[in-house]
Amino acid sequence: MDHYQLVAALAGNPNVGKSTLFNGLTGLRQKTGNWAGVTVATACGTFTHHDKTCLLVDLPGTYSLDTHSKEEEVARQYLSSGEADAVVVVSDATCLERGLHLLKQILSLESIRDRGIPVVLCVNLCDEARRKGIEIDFELLRDVLQFPVIPCCARCREDLLRLKETILECEGGRENYDCLDFSPKELAGETVRYTKTNYRRREEIIDRVVTGRFSGGVIMFLLLLGVFWLTMTGANYPSAVLWNMFFALEERLAAGLTALQVPQALIQALVYGVYRVLAWVVSVMLPPMAIFFPLFTLLEDLGYLPRVAFHMDRSFKRCCACGKQCLTMAMGLGCNAAGVIGCRIIDSPRERLIAILTNSLVPCNGRFPTLITLITLMFLTGTSRGVSGTFLSALLLTAAILAGVAATLGCSWVLSHTLLKGVPSAFTLELPPYRRPEVGKVLVRSVFDRTLFVLGRAAAVAAPAGLVIWLLANVTVGGGSLLFHLTGFLDPLGRLMGLDGVILMAFILGFPANEIVVPIMLMAYLQTGCLVEMTDPAALVELLTANGWTWRTALSMMIFCLFHWPCSTTCLTIRKETGSLKWTAVSFLLPTLLGLGLCIAVHLLTMFV
C-alpha cells in the first residue's frame, strides 16, 4: 500500500449513514471481499484530494467493541491491529450519546492510545437533526475531545470535501488521549439541546401502525402483493425483448460455426445445448430481478425492513429462533444464496444455522417463472387474463409465498426442538428513522451488487448444465434417449406424488437454475432434443393435458416447486457459510422431504375429489 499516503478506518454504529458516507467519499472506486478467516464482508475504497490518495476501510457497523458477533470482533481486531493510520468514527447527530460510547471504547484501545493514532469524529445526519430541532455545540465538543469534530451530511458535497481534507491532515500525526476521561452521557447532555419536545411524534404514530399486531400484518401483505404485481407486470416486455435478441443471435452463432467447418454434433451441443440454456436463464431471470431487487432495496433504504423484523419477532421467538431471521428470509425472496449470506447478521451460531437451513423454504426469484406459469395456465380462466389476471396471479403467488413463510416458522420450531435445541437469544434491533431513499444509488447498488452478482452465479452453473441436458436428450440407448429412460425410472415415484417422471427429471436437471424446469419438461414431452418455448397458452395447456395433466398435477407441482432442494448456487453458498458437508446435506434434505411428504399427502387426499 505504498502508493497510499494514508490508510483510514471508518467505524460507527449501524444506521448512522456510514455506507452513504463511504460511497460519497470513494465514489465507484471500491472493492468488496471477506476478512481473512471469517465470513464478514468488508469494503475498501480510495479517494484523492490535492494529489494525495487515501485508502478508506469500511468496518462493519457495531454498537460496541465488547465482541458478541463476528462484526464486532472484526471491527475490534482491525482497530487493534494498528494497520490504520487514522480512524474516522461516524456518529448520528440525532443520537450523539450512543456514538460517544463507541468513540470512548475506540480511544481506550491500547493500539490507538499508545501509538497516538489520530481520530476524527464525524457527526453525520446533521440535516435530520436540524429538522427535528436538535442543536449541537460543536465548539464545546471540540474543546472537550481535543481532536477534529466534523459536522456532516453525507449527501452534501461541501461536507465531504471538508471531511476529506481533515482525514488527509492526519498524515504523520500523533495524538495524546491520556486526558480523555469524559462521560458520554454527560458530554451529550452538555452539548446537545432539543428545541422541539415531540420531534419523533410523527414517526411514533407511523410505527404504531406499521408494527401493530394486525395492521402490521396487513401492510406486509399489501406491500408483498404490490411488489409481486409490479415485478410480474413489468418483466413481461423486457423478457420478450431479451428472448428475441438472444435467439436471433443463436442462428448466427450456428451459421458462423458451420462456416468454420465445426462438426455438426459439436454445433448442436454448444449452440442448442450450452448457449440456449444460458440464453433462457438470462432472458427469464434478469427482468424480474432487475425489478424486484430495486423495489426490495427501496424498502430497505426507507427503513421498513427492520420494522418487518420487529413485527415478526414474536412469531420467530415462539419457534425458539431469532427475529432477524425475518430479514434473511426476505432476502431469500430475491435469491436464496443471498439470503444464506445475509444470515451472518444473526449473532447466535445456533439461530444462524436454523436460518440457513430453512432459507430455501421461501421461493427465490428463480422459482417465480414456474409458479407464475402454473398459476396462469391451470388456475386462471381465459377471461381472467390481462390486468385483472396479472393481479390475481400476484395474489395467488403471494399466497404461495406466505405458505413458504409458514413452512419456515414450522421447520424452525422443529429444528429448535430436535437437532438444534435451545432457547431464543435476546437481541437489540434498532428501528432507524424513515429516510427518503436515494433512487439513483439504489438502482446502482441493486443492479451491480445483487442482480448481476446473482445472475453471474446462475449463468456459471447454467452453461455446463446446458451441455448435460443436451447430451441426455440426444444420446440414445436401446432405442430411446437417456432422458427417456431416466424419466421412465422416476415415473412410479412421480405418480405417487401426483406428478410424473418427466416433471421429477425436470426438477433434477433444473438443479443448476430453477428457471429451466419448465422448458426441460416441455422438451421431454415433445422429444425435441433441445429446449423449446411455447408462447401460445392454449397450445401449452393442450400439450400438458395430452400428457395426463389435471389441476391436481398442477397443484402437486406448485407444492414441489415451493419445497424441494436448493439450487446448486445456494448449496455451494451453504457449504461455504457453514463449512460443513453435514449441514449442507440437511439443508438439501429438509425442503425435499417436506415437499415429497406434502405432495404424496395432497395427491392421496385429492384422488377422490
Side-chain angles (χ1 to χ4, degrees):
M1 296 188 295
D2 295 336
H3 57 290
Y4 302 124
Q5 277 73 31
L6 190 75
V7 178
L10 196 65
N13 301 143
N15 301 314
V16 297
K18 188 165 63 69
S19 297
T20 305
L21 195 65
F22 175 77
N23 292 333
L25 290 171
T26 62
L28 296 178
R29 296 181 295 278
Q30 308 167 15
K31 62 179 180 179
T32 58
N34 282 348
W35 295 92
V38 292
T39 55
V40 177
T42 180
C44 297
T46 61
F47 69 82
T48 302
H49 188 66
H50 295 326
D51 298 326
K52 290 184 177 182
T53 302
C54 173
L55 174 66
L56 199 61
V57 180
D58 188 18
L59 299 178
T62 176
Y63 292 104
S64 169
L65 295 184
D66 296 329
T67 57
H68 297 290
S69 66
K70 289 185 178 181
E71 285 77 9
E72 293 173 354
E73 183 180 351
V74 163
R76 184 183 183 91
Q77 286 180 353
Y78 186 83
L79 292 171
S80 300
S81 68
E83 294 182 24
D85 303 313
V87 178
V88 180
V89 181
V90 184
S91 68
D92 183 352
T94 65
C95 189
L96 183 62
E97 181 184 342
R98 189 180 60 201
L100 291 177
H101 279 286
L102 179 63
L103 172 67
K104 187 165 184 177
Q105 285 187 325
I106 291 175
L107 294 174
S108 301
L109 293 174
E110 291 185 9
S111 57
I112 302 292
R113 188 180 62 251
D114 295 346
R115 293 182 57 201
I117 294 177
V119 173
V120 176
L121 176 62
C122 173
V123 183
N124 194 27
L125 304 175
C126 287
D127 53 338
E128 288 189 13
R130 283 192 294 270
R131 285 197 298 269
K132 294 177 178 179
I134 300 174
E135 298 178 354
I136 299 175
D137 189 341
F138 288 102
E139 289 300 326
L140 177 58
L141 201 57
R142 293 187 187 97
D143 290 341
V144 175
L145 297 177
Q146 302 176 25
F147 55 76
V149 178
I150 307 298
C152 183
C153 171
R155 301 177 183 179
C156 177
R157 186 179 182 87
E158 290 75 14
D159 289 349
L160 292 177
L161 286 175
R162 189 186 316 119
L163 182 59
K164 288 181 180 180
E165 291 173 353
T166 305
I167 293 173
L168 290 173
E169 287 172 0
C170 294
E171 181 186 1
R174 182 177 177 84
E175 301 292 339
N176 179 8
Y177 300 120
D178 293 338
C179 61
L180 292 177
D181 55 353
F182 65 91
S183 164
K185 183 178 181 65
E186 292 179 3
L187 183 57
E190 293 171 358
T191 57
V192 179
R193 188 169 70 93
Y194 298 91
T195 60
K196 295 180 180 179
T197 55
N198 295 321
Y199 69 91
R200 286 201 74 251
R201 181 167 179 77
R202 186 173 65 176
E203 283 189 4
E204 289 172 352
I205 293 173
I206 295 174
D207 278 342
R208 285 196 200 102
V209 177
V210 171
T211 62
R213 284 180 179 266
F214 175 75
S215 58
V218 172
I219 291 172
M220 279 195 300
F221 175 80
L222 292 177
L223 280 175
L224 191 63
L225 177 63
V227 167
F228 287 142
W229 182 77
L230 289 172
T231 299
M232 294 168 63
T233 304
N236 291 330
Y237 178 73
S239 184
V241 171
L242 286 174
W243 175 272
N244 294 331
M245 181 182 71
F246 283 128
F247 284 85
L249 183 60
E250 181 181 81
E251 296 303 322
R252 296 181 183 179
L253 285 174
L257 291 174
T258 302
L260 294 173
Q261 297 183 344
V262 175
Q264 194 63 31
L266 185 58
I267 293 176
Q268 291 284 328
L270 292 177
V271 177
Y272 301 108
V274 175
Y275 177 80
R276 179 168 288 189
V277 171
L278 186 60
W280 192 300
V281 169
V282 173
S283 59
V284 172
M285 191 175 182
L286 180 58
M289 281 200 306
I291 298 172
F292 179 85
F293 279 135
L295 291 174
F296 183 84
T297 310
L298 284 172
L299 292 176
E300 186 179 14
D301 275 21
L302 182 64
Y304 176 71
L305 292 187
R307 287 160 173 86
V308 174
F310 177 84
H311 177 77
M312 292 292 294
D313 180 54
R314 303 183 195 95
S315 300
F316 280 101
K317 187 176 181 180
R318 292 192 189 103
C319 301
C320 295
C322 179
K324 288 182 181 179
Q325 186 176 338
C326 178
L327 294 176
T328 65
M329 183 176 64
M331 294 177 193
L333 287 172
C335 173
N336 289 139
V340 169
I341 294 173
C343 294
R344 298 170 182 175
I345 65 175
I346 300 175
D347 298 336
S348 164
R350 182 190 72 86
E351 293 170 344
R352 188 185 313 125
L353 191 53
I354 290 176
I356 289 174
L357 297 179
T358 59
N359 192 265
S360 62
L361 294 173
V362 171
C364 66
N365 185 76
R367 283 182 261 178
F368 289 172
T370 301
L371 290 169
I372 293 169
T373 300
L374 292 170
I375 290 170
T376 303
L377 293 178
M378 306 304 293
F379 294 101
L380 299 181
T381 62
T383 57
S384 63
R385 294 192 179 104
V387 176
S388 61
T390 304
F391 179 79
L392 186 55
S393 296
L395 188 64
L396 292 174
L397 181 59
T398 303
I401 302 302
L402 293 178
V405 173
T408 300
L409 291 170
C411 289
S412 296
W413 186 90
V414 171
L415 287 170
S416 63
H417 288 80
T418 54
L419 295 177
L420 297 167
K421 290 183 179 180
V423 295
S425 62
F427 73 98
T428 301
L429 179 66
E430 179 188 5
L431 296 182
Y434 293 99
R435 296 191 179 105
R436 185 179 60 190
E438 296 182 87
V439 178
K441 291 182 179 179
V442 163
L443 291 175
V444 171
R445 192 165 81 247
S446 60
V447 169
F448 286 97
D449 292 351
R450 293 179 175 175
T451 303
L452 295 183
F453 172 75
V454 173
L455 184 64
R457 297 179 78 165
V461 293
L467 180 59
V468 173
I469 293 169
W470 186 88
L471 289 173
L472 289 174
N474 289 274
V475 175
T476 58
V477 176
S481 67
L482 291 175
L483 184 60
F484 173 79
H485 291 299
L486 289 172
T487 56
F489 174 77
L490 292 171
D491 198 61
L493 176 60
R495 298 292 177 184
L496 179 63
M497 297 170 60
L499 307 172
D500 59 29
V502 169
I503 300 172
L504 276 186
M505 194 63 203
F507 276 107
I508 293 173
L509 293 178
F511 175 61
N514 286 289
E515 292 79 6
I516 59 178
V517 169
V518 170
I520 292 173
M521 182 181 70
L522 297 179
M523 179 182 71
Y525 283 143
L526 293 169
Q527 300 181 7
T528 57
C530 59
L531 296 186
V532 295
E533 183 198 29
M534 296 188 68
T535 54
D536 183 4
L540 184 52
V541 171
E542 184 179 345
L543 172 67
L544 297 179
T545 304
N547 282 275
W549 274 57
T550 65
W551 66 269
R552 300 180 189 87
T553 314
L555 179 60
S556 294
M557 186 171 175
M558 280 189 65
I559 293 172
F560 200 64
C561 184
L562 278 172
F563 308 120
H564 70 282
W565 49 82
C567 70
S568 59
T569 303
T570 304
C571 288
L572 290 172
T573 304
I574 292 171
R575 173 67 177 87
K576 182 180 178 182
E577 293 294 308
T578 63
S580 167
L581 287 173
K582 175 186 125 178
W583 291 118
T584 305
V586 172
S587 70
F588 185 94
L589 292 173
L590 178 66
T592 304
L593 294 177
L594 176 63
L596 188 70
L598 286 175
C599 284
I600 293 174
V602 169
H603 175 61
L604 294 177
L605 288 173
T606 58
M607 280 182 65
F608 305 103
V609 176

